[in-house]
Amino acid sequence: MKTVVVGISGGVDSSVAALLLKEQGYQVIGLFMRNWDSSINNDYLGNPNLNNNICPQEQDYNDAKAVCDKLNIPLHRIDFVKEYWDNVFTYFLEELKKGRTPNPDIMCNKYIKFDLFIKQAKKLGADYIATGHYARIIDGKLSRAVDLNKDQSYFLAYVNKENFVNVLFPIGELEKIEVRKIAQEHNLITAQKKDSTGICFIGERNFSKFLENYLPNQPGKIINIETKEEVGEHLGLMYYTIGQRRGLNLGGNNSKSYVVEKDLKNNILYVASGEENKYLYSTSAIIEDFNFLTEDRPSSCSCKFRYRQKDIPIQVEYLNGNILKLTYKSAKAVTPGQFCVLYQGTTCLGGGMIKEVHKEA
C-alpha cells in the first residue's frame, strides 16, 4: 500500500482530497503546516467575525483535526514559522519597499508547500504528497484544473518542476460544487466552511494597520497624470496597486480615477480618470526570473498577468537566461512585482515576475 502525505489546511478542499485518496486505497497521513505566528500583532480578540475569538490559524487546525479524526487518519503538525518569515514575509516587505505589488501565496508554494513540506512528508514515509489545489498533472506537466473558475495553476507556476514529481492533486478533476457535495455527503465539518481569501498572515485584519507594524507610512501627493493637478494625499505608496480605484478617497471629477503609476523617488501616486484611460494599458512587458516548467519555448501562446483575468494572446521573445519579453495587443493594469504565467492550451509553461511594463504610445 502506497503512502500519501496530504497537506491538511482545515478547509474543504484539502479535506476532500484526503477523503478521496483514502477511498482510492492509499495509506493517508495528514500534515498541518503552521506558517505564521498568530500571536504577533494579535488584534483578533474582540473581532465579531471570528467564532469564540479563536485566531483563524488555531480554528483551522481544530477543523483539520476533526476531519482527520472523522477519516481515521493521523494528523501531524509542523512549524515553518521561521522559514516562512525568511522566504515569504521578508520578500513581501522588500517588494512593498520597492513600490511593487508582491504575491506571497506564490512564494509560499515555492518555498514552503512544495519544498519544505515535501521534505517533511518524506520523513513520514511518503511515496506521494498531495494537496487540495485545483490543478492537474498531465503527462508529467502542470496543467489547469477542470474547474477553470477555481484553477490554481497560476499560483503553482513558480514551483521548481522537479518538485511536482510524485505530487497528486485529487480534486483537480472536480468542480468546486462537487467538492462541497462530497464533503457534505460524508458529514465533514468543513463542508460549508467559507474559502479563505486574501493574504494568510493578514486574514481578517486591516491591511494598512497590519503593515504599520513593519513599514513606516510615508504620505505623499496624489496627482492626476493628465491634468498635472494635485487631487489628494496618499497614505504610502505600498498601500496601492496599479489599476486600483477603491480607497483613493478622491472627490469631484477625480472620483472615478484609477492608480496608473507610482513615482517612488518623489513619493507621488499618479491617477487617471475613467476605466478606459490610456495610462492603464500596456502593449509589452519584461518578465524576469522565469521558471520554466517544460522544455517548450513557443513564440506565441497565452498568459495571465493576474489570477482572475482571462488569457491574453502574446508573442514571446526569449532573452538572456530567464528573461522574457512579451508583446500583446493591449492589457489592462499590468503591474510590476506581480507574476506572469504562460500557458499553451491547458499546460502551464511556467511563470516569472513582471519587471517592466511598456505603456501604449
Side-chain angles (χ1 to χ4, degrees):
M1 182 183 295
K2 297 290 187 179
T3 298
V4 184
V5 174
V6 185
I8 302 286
S9 66
V12 65
D13 298 327
S14 61
S15 301
V16 171
L19 167 66
L20 294 175
L21 289 167
K22 185 169 183 184
E23 289 183 338
Q24 291 167 20
Y26 291 101
Q27 179 180 339
V28 180
I29 298 172
L31 182 57
F32 180 89
M33 289 173 282
R34 178 175 176 262
N35 296 330
W36 183 257
D37 185 350
S38 295
S39 66
I40 298 177
N41 308 322
N42 189 356
D43 53 6
Y44 288 116
L45 294 179
N47 189 326
N49 296 320
L50 302 177
N51 294 330
N52 303 318
N53 292 328
I54 300 174
C55 83
Q57 187 179 72
E58 288 307 308
Q59 185 61 58
D60 287 341
Y61 175 74
N62 291 342
D63 292 342
K65 185 71 170 64
V67 167
C68 289
D69 288 345
K70 177 82 173 177
L71 299 179
N72 195 27
I73 62 175
L75 177 65
H76 298 262
R77 181 168 175 159
I78 185 71
D79 192 324
F80 289 139
V81 170
K82 182 183 183 302
E83 293 84 353
Y84 189 93
W85 182 284
D86 292 344
N87 293 296
V88 181
F89 190 62
T90 299
Y91 141 83
F92 174 75
L93 295 180
E94 290 302 315
E95 286 293 291
L96 288 175
K97 287 179 185 176
K98 296 174 186 175
R100 309 208 315 176
T101 302
N103 194 319
D105 291 336
I106 286 178
M107 291 301 189
C108 181
N109 282 328
K110 181 178 180 69
Y111 293 110
I112 308 297
K113 294 179 181 177
F114 289 86
D115 187 0
L116 295 175
F117 175 85
I118 291 175
K119 292 171 183 174
Q120 185 63 30
K122 288 180 178 177
K123 291 179 182 178
L124 295 173
D127 296 299
Y128 300 96
I129 74 136
T131 69
H133 284 96
Y134 285 86
R136 294 182 291 174
I137 301 293
I138 300 176
D139 296 330
K141 297 178 181 180
L142 178 66
S143 301
R144 304 184 207 245
V146 167
D147 190 339
L148 295 178
N149 189 49
K150 289 293 182 180
D151 173 58
Q152 292 172 301
S153 59
Y154 176 90
F155 293 106
L156 300 171
Y158 211 47
V159 173
N160 294 335
K161 65 179 180 180
E162 295 81 9
N163 289 347
F164 285 123
V165 176
N166 296 328
V167 167
L168 304 175
F169 295 121
I171 64 171
E173 299 284 347
L174 301 176
E175 300 278 345
K176 179 74 178 195
I177 193 170
E178 295 177 273
V179 171
R180 287 207 181 274
K181 184 179 179 182
I182 291 170
Q184 200 157 7
E185 288 172 348
H186 289 81
N187 296 315
L188 298 184
I189 194 173
T190 55
Q192 297 302 322
K193 187 174 181 179
K194 184 181 177 182
D195 290 340
S196 59
T197 57
I199 301 170
C200 62
F201 47 78
I202 295 176
E204 296 278 350
R205 289 174 287 193
N206 178 275
F207 180 69
S208 58
K209 184 178 179 182
F210 174 82
L211 278 189
E212 284 176 16
N213 294 295
Y214 303 96
L215 298 175
N217 286 347
Q218 295 182 340
K221 297 177 181 178
I222 300 178
I223 293 179
N224 186 306
I225 200 169
E226 298 166 302
T227 65
K228 312 303 179 187
E229 293 179 287
E230 182 177 343
V231 295
E233 183 178 80
H234 65 76
L235 301 175
L237 294 179
M238 61 188 173
Y239 298 124
Y240 306 88
T241 189
I242 305 300
Q244 178 177 336
R245 178 186 170 191
R246 294 180 180 177
L248 298 179
N249 298 319
L250 305 177
N253 295 331
N254 293 286
S255 61
K256 294 184 180 180
S257 292
Y258 293 78
V259 173
V260 295
E261 192 175 311
K262 297 181 184 182
D263 181 346
L264 198 64
K265 182 179 178 181
N266 297 302
N267 195 28
I268 295 173
L269 187 71
Y270 286 100
V271 298
S273 301
E275 187 175 359
E276 300 303 321
N277 75 78
K278 68 177 184 178
Y279 299 96
L280 266 182
Y281 291 83
S282 62
T283 55
S284 68
I286 301 295
I287 312 302
E288 63 181 349
D289 196 25
F290 193 85
N291 178 54
F292 291 99
L293 291 178
T294 75
E295 299 301 318
D296 303 325
R297 301 290 185 273
S299 58
S300 62
C301 56
S302 66
C303 81
K304 287 182 182 292
F305 290 113
R306 292 176 185 267
Y307 169 52
R308 284 293 183 186
Q309 74 178 172
K310 293 182 179 180
D311 280 35
I312 296 172
I314 55 170
Q315 298 295 314
V316 187
E317 185 179 351
Y318 300 89
L319 307 179
N320 296 331
N322 292 9
I323 300 176
L324 279 56
K325 180 180 180 180
L326 311 183
T327 56
Y328 39 92
K329 186 176 180 180
S330 181
K332 181 182 176 182
V334 180
T335 306
Q338 279 287 314
F339 282 80
C340 173
V341 176
L342 270 56
Y343 293 92
Q344 188 80 290
T346 61
T347 301
C348 179
L349 303 177
M353 195 177 296
I354 301 168
K355 180 183 181 182
E356 300 173 12
V357 177
H358 302 141
K359 300 289 180 74
E360 291 184 321

